């Protein structure tokens, strides 16, 4: 497969050249004879718009999913193109990233090309080529030494599914393009350059009056997610989530294979220890230590396997939660609310934002993979504490001793917490003045019994020093647990306030939000769309009727009629403007004003 990756550059470059030849250049300069002979051919091909693409989102996501195996090869640093020193390894990985991108460039170029008939044929042939090579790779080496039978299929079935989906997609494109070419069905209407239907629907919703909520929201809508028909995730987010899912699956499989390898080596070592205990007839001085070691290894192996599922589900839930946070943050930015951002990110540098959107997708996937490994280790440690603290004492018939120690520990913590609650209760009832109003929730921050208060502080000063030692350790423990638990959450910083800039992943998230906010804000895009539409209308003859995006041919109206209709709606919704409006002295105009006043009073 690695060798084919290099040879696939040949058909990839051929497809790129064909599509580039068909692509017309919009701005052509006659600089010399060589470029003049090319006319306006060989334009720049764009694989996909990472900012404003809302169509073919799942097709682009699946195309990215087909690259998952190669990305995992780069992630594990298994890409060895040249033998270079350690300091130059970054350049080799950079070259490998460019090669992987170039080999899979035809998938995206064929999906986004305007020449549907040619691009569908080229994309279908290229997908068949990759599918055949992948199937041959599976058939030649179907089994492995880690997982046994069908190990290769376990690794490559996501790529097979993605390639099969692309085959169906290109076949559908070919059938549609062929029917249009044979005039069996009309040419699809050209979509607007700026305004998407869901963006227009969002702006219309903002202009309507807020309607009261009909019915009560369900628990899922309140606590988990509520679908919004006027919001769509861009193709970049869908592709990132799809690729992250597949890479997470491959990472879990690779981790399990490494676990099997380590387990086999440990089992061999345990066999040698077993032979030693048999040779000394289980009477050697090391026999108790060997038995404890075997028990420890057995517990570690069991806990590691059991915690694979909860660690995986945690990262999967993070992926869905990231989508929910993206929508929530984008809506708050659209509303002009930046207060949820740290102060240092409210005026971010444009250059940093542009770099951030290029980094985000790759960093998000890497954070999920490393986050899974760290969460898995943390959950395994918690499992070991649970096993050695509760389970093993019961199996060793030391349950009463364990319960006694556990009860003492819980009682000690309960006493400490009780003393802290008592301090708060004394401060509330003896050292704060009463409420100013019966409806107030809390007492005002005004002291009374000052002499008793100072004695209270003095005698508790020495005790709180000792209590602070435990509070410091609990702060460290909670910070470690939350930091490791949220390490995969790139949408939330784990740094303290004032040090958020040191979190490069969170900086990439904020920069990506800013770029999407400035380029896909529905109000801004609608305003630009109106400006472009009005500018195009001015270039048309006066008698020409105009249509807005989303209107059918039968609903086109003249500009004058549309202006009068908007004037009528404005006057009905704002009755105060009717009296201030300058009207003509004709009888019809006076009657019209009187009718509007009557309607506004109804």
């Amino acid at each position: 497969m690695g060798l084919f990756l290099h040879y696939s550059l040949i058909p990839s470059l051929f497809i790129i050249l064909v599509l580039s030849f068909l692509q017309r250049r919009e701005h052509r300069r006659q600089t010399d004879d060589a470029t003049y002979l090319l006319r306006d051919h060989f334009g720049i091909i764009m694989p996909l718009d990472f900012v404003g693409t809302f169509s073919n989102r799942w097709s682009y996501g699946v195309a990215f999913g087909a690259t998952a195996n190669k990305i995992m090869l780069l992630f594990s640093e298994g890409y060895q193109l040249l033998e270079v020193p350690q300091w130059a390894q970054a350049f080799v990985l950079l070259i490998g990233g460019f090669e992987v991108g170039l080999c899979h460039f035809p998938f995206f170029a064929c999906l986004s090309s305007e020449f549907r008939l040619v691009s569908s044929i080229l994309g279908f042939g290229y997908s068949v080529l990759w599918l055949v090579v992948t199937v041959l790779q599976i058939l030649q080496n179907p089994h492995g030494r880690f997982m046994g039978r069908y190990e290769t299929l376990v690794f490559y079935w996501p790529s097979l599914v993605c390639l099969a989906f692309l085959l169906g997609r290109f076949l559908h494109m070919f059938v549609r393009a062929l029917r249009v070419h044979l005039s069996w069905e009309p040419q699809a209407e050209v979509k607007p350059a700026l305004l998407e239907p869901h963006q227009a629907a969002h702006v219309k919703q903002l202009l309507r009056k807020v309607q009261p909520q009909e019915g009560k929201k369900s628990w899922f809508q309140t606590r988990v997610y509520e679908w919004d028909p006027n919001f769509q995730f861009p193709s970049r987010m869908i592709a990132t989530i799809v690729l992250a899912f597949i890479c997470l699956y491959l990472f879990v499989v690779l981790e399990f294979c490494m676990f099997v390898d380590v387990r086999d080596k440990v089992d061999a070592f345990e066999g040698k220890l077993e032979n030693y205990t048999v040779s000394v007839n289980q009477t050697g001085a090391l026999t108790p230590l060997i038995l404890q070691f075997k028990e420890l290894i057995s517990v570690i192996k069991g806990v590691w396997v059991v915690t694979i599922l909860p660690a995986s589900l945690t990262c999967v839930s993070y992926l869905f939660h990231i989508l929910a946070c993206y929508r929530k943050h984008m809506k708050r930015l659209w509303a002009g609310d930046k207060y949820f951002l740290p102060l240092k990110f409210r005026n971010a540098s444009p250059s940093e934002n542009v770099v951030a959107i290029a980094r985000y997708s790759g960093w998000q996937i890497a954070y999920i993979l490393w986050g899974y490994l760290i969460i898995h280790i943390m959950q395994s440690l918690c499992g070991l504490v649970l096993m050695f603290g509760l389970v093993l004492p019961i199996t060793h018939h030391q349950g009463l001793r364990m319960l006694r120690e556990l009860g003492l520990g819980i009682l000690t913590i309960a006493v400490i917490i009780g003393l802290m609650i008592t301090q708060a209760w004394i401060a509330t009832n003896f050292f704060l003045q009463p409420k100013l109003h019966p409806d107030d929730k809390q007492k005002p921050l005004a002291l009374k019994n000052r002499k008793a208060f100072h004695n209270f502080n003095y005698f508790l000063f020495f005790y709180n020093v000792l209590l602070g030692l435990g509070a410091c350790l609990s702060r460290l423990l909670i910070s470690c647990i939350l930091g490791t638990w949220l390490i995969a959450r790139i949408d939330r910083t784990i740094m303290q306030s004032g040090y958020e800039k040191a979190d490069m992943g969170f900086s990439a998230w904020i920069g990506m939000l800013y770029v999407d906010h400035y380029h896909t804000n529905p109000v801004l895009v609608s305003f630009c769309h109106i400006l472009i539409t009005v500018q195009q209308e001015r270039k048309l003859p006066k008698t020409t009727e105009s249509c807005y995006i989303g209107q059918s041919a039968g609903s086109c109206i003249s500009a004058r009629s549309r202006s009068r209709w908007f004037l009528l709606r404005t006057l009905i919704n704002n009755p105060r403007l009717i009296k201030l409006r300058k009207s003509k002295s004709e009888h019809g105009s006076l009657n019209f004003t009187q009718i509007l006043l009557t309607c506004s009073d109804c």
Side-chain angles (χ1 to χ4, degrees):
M1 183 62 70
L3 185 62
F4 177 74
L5 183 66
H6 304 315
Y7 284 111
S8 64
L9 291 174
I10 299 175
S12 175
L13 291 175
F14 172 75
I15 294 175
I16 293 173
L17 287 176
V18 172
L19 295 179
S20 178
F21 176 80
L22 296 176
Q23 185 70 33
R24 301 285 183 172
R25 288 178 291 169
E26 297 182 358
H27 303 287
R28 178 168 58 90
R29 296 181 180 179
Q30 185 175 348
T31 55
D32 51 27
D33 296 337
T35 56
Y36 178 73
L37 293 176
L38 297 177
R39 305 266 177 192
D40 54 353
H41 293 286
F42 292 100
I44 297 178
I45 302 176
M46 184 177 64
L48 76 157
D49 184 358
F50 279 88
V51 178
T53 300
F54 296 94
S55 59
N56 285 338
R57 297 179 298 167
W58 291 106
S59 298
Y60 289 126
V62 171
F64 272 107
T67 68
N69 291 91
K70 292 79 182 176
I71 291 178
M72 292 304 299
L73 183 67
L74 293 174
F75 186 81
S76 60
E77 297 186 1
Y79 182 89
Q80 296 293 337
L81 182 63
L82 299 172
E83 292 294 335
V84 295
Q86 183 66 29
W87 60 267
Q89 189 66 25
F91 294 102
V92 176
L93 295 179
L94 179 63
I95 296 173
F98 274 104
E99 184 178 14
V100 171
L102 190 60
C103 291
H104 292 84
F105 192 90
F107 293 131
F108 303 98
C110 293
L111 286 173
S112 60
S113 177
E114 301 175 359
F115 308 96
R116 312 297 283 178
L117 186 60
V118 178
S119 64
S120 60
I121 296 174
L122 295 175
F124 184 85
Y126 197 66
S127 301
V128 169
L129 179 63
W130 270 100
L131 183 63
V132 170
V133 172
T134 306
V135 171
L136 291 177
Q137 173 75 13
I138 296 174
L139 294 178
Q140 289 178 357
N141 301 302
H143 312 305
R145 68 185 185 91
F146 297 112
M147 304 181 65
R149 297 175 61 85
Y150 308 111
E151 179 180 316
T152 308
L153 181 62
V154 173
F155 278 101
Y156 284 99
W157 75 263
S159 296
L160 291 177
V161 172
C162 293
L163 291 173
F165 180 89
L166 291 176
L167 283 178
R169 176 61 180 165
F170 286 126
L171 183 61
H172 177 262
M173 288 172 54
F174 173 75
V175 173
R176 292 289 302 274
L178 185 62
R179 291 178 62 87
V180 172
H181 181 73
L182 297 177
S183 301
W184 290 355
E185 67 178 49
Q187 179 74 29
E189 296 182 1
V190 180
K191 295 185 66 177
L194 289 177
L195 190 62
E196 296 285 343
H198 69 276
Q199 293 174 337
H202 177 80
V203 176
K204 292 178 181 178
Q205 184 181 10
L206 294 178
L207 297 177
R208 296 192 189 103
K209 293 182 178 179
V210 179
Q211 299 294 335
Q213 183 69 26
E214 296 182 359
K216 189 177 181 181
K217 294 183 179 180
S218 63
W219 178 88
F220 185 85
Q221 292 176 330
T222 306
R223 299 290 183 181
V224 183
Y225 188 79
E226 182 179 3
W227 181 67
D228 185 0
N230 299 330
F231 183 90
Q232 288 187 7
F233 295 99
S235 299
R236 182 194 66 258
M237 294 298 298
I238 299 297
T240 301
I241 297 302
V242 172
L243 186 55
F245 268 111
I246 299 177
C247 288
L248 178 61
Y249 165 78
L250 295 176
F251 190 82
V252 173
V253 173
L254 288 173
E255 184 206 42
F256 184 78
C257 291
M258 294 179 63
F259 166 76
V260 171
D261 187 26
V262 174
R263 184 195 61 185
D264 294 339
K265 294 179 180 179
V266 173
D267 290 342
F269 181 68
E270 286 184 350
K272 295 179 181 180
L273 295 178
E274 185 70 23
N275 294 332
Y276 170 77
T277 55
V278 172
S279 63
V280 298
N281 198 17
Q282 297 185 354
T283 58
L286 298 178
T287 300
L289 295 178
I290 292 175
L291 295 177
Q292 292 179 4
F293 176 77
K294 291 176 63 176
E295 184 183 48
L296 174 63
I297 294 300
S298 177
V299 171
I300 291 176
K301 290 189 294 186
V303 168
W304 186 266
V305 174
V306 169
T307 51
I308 289 177
L309 181 61
S312 304
L313 293 179
T314 301
C315 291
V316 169
S317 65
Y318 284 169
L319 291 176
F320 288 109
H321 189 73
I322 285 169
L323 290 177
C325 287
Y326 175 83
R327 190 185 72 169
K328 179 178 67 175
H329 291 170
M330 287 301 300
K331 285 189 172 183
R332 295 183 69 174
L333 287 177
W334 290 348
D337 180 13
K338 294 184 180 180
Y339 294 103
F340 69 97
L341 300 176
L343 291 175
K344 295 183 179 180
F345 288 97
R346 295 181 185 177
N347 293 308
S349 170
S351 58
E352 294 179 359
N353 294 338
V354 172
V355 175
I357 197 172
R359 292 174 177 170
Y360 167 72
S361 297
W363 284 19
Q364 179 66 80
I365 297 172
Y367 272 62
I368 286 293
L369 299 183
W370 281 118
Y372 163 78
L373 182 60
I374 295 173
I375 292 173
H376 193 186
I377 293 174
M378 185 192 69
Q379 292 183 354
S380 299
L381 293 177
C382 295
L384 289 176
V385 172
L386 182 64
M387 288 294 296
F388 283 98
L390 296 178
V391 179
L392 290 181
I394 296 176
T395 58
H396 292 164
H397 306 289
Q398 297 178 354
L400 293 178
R401 179 184 176 185
M402 180 269 298
L403 290 177
R404 188 182 304 110
E405 294 178 354
L406 181 62
L408 289 175
I410 294 176
L411 180 60
T412 303
I413 296 175
V415 169
I416 294 175
I417 296 176
L419 290 176
M420 296 174 62
I421 296 175
T422 303
Q423 293 182 35
W425 181 81
I426 293 174
T428 303
N429 291 277
F430 293 97
F431 302 129
L432 286 179
Q433 297 180 10
K435 297 180 180 180
L436 299 177
H437 194 272
D439 296 334
D440 292 343
K441 295 182 179 180
Q442 295 181 354
K443 293 182 178 181
L445 188 57
L447 294 176
K448 68 176 182 180
N449 302 325
R450 289 177 176 267
K451 292 183 179 181
F453 172 73
H454 294 311
N455 281 277
F456 177 80
N457 281 340
Y458 174 78
F459 286 105
L460 288 179
F461 172 82
F462 305 100
Y463 168 75
N464 286 327
V465 171
L466 301 177
L467 184 62
L469 297 177
C472 179
L473 295 178
S474 65
R475 177 188 185 187
L476 178 62
L477 179 62
I478 294 173
S479 299
C480 293
I481 293 176
L482 291 179
T484 53
W485 197 275
L486 300 175
I487 189 65
R489 289 277 303 275
I490 200 173
D491 61 296
R492 177 187 290 271
T493 180
I494 60 175
M495 300 295 178
Q496 294 182 353
S497 178
Y499 298 92
E500 297 91 354
K501 278 286 186 179
D503 192 344
M504 293 186 290
F506 184 68
S507 300
W509 170 266
I510 297 300
M512 179 269 298
L513 290 179
Y514 271 119
V515 174
D516 283 354
H517 167 57
Y518 279 97
H519 289 80
T520 61
N521 190 322
V523 177
L524 177 62
V525 173
S526 300
F527 177 73
C528 295
H529 172 71
I530 293 174
L531 290 181
I532 294 175
T533 305
V534 172
Q535 183 67 20
Q536 292 175 351
E537 288 179 355
R538 290 178 179 177
K539 296 179 181 179
L540 298 176
K542 293 291 185 179
T543 58
T544 303
E545 293 182 343
S546 58
C547 299
Y548 279 94
I549 300 299
Q551 291 179 333
S552 61
S555 61
C556 298
I557 56 177
S558 64
R560 185 178 182 183
S561 300
R562 187 176 66 252
S563 300
R564 288 184 173 181
W565 172 250
F566 288 157
L567 174 62
L568 176 62
R569 292 190 59 183
T570 304
L571 294 177
I572 292 177
N573 294 330
N574 301 273
R576 295 181 180 179
L577 298 178
I578 299 175
K579 298 179 180 180
L580 301 177
R581 182 170 178 259
K582 182 179 180 181
S583 59
K584 296 182 179 180
S585 58
E586 286 83 354
H587 181 71
S589 178
L590 295 176
N591 290 339
F592 177 70
T593 303
Q594 188 64 32
I595 292 173
L596 286 178
L597 290 174
T598 305
C599 293
S600 61
D601 295 335
C602 294

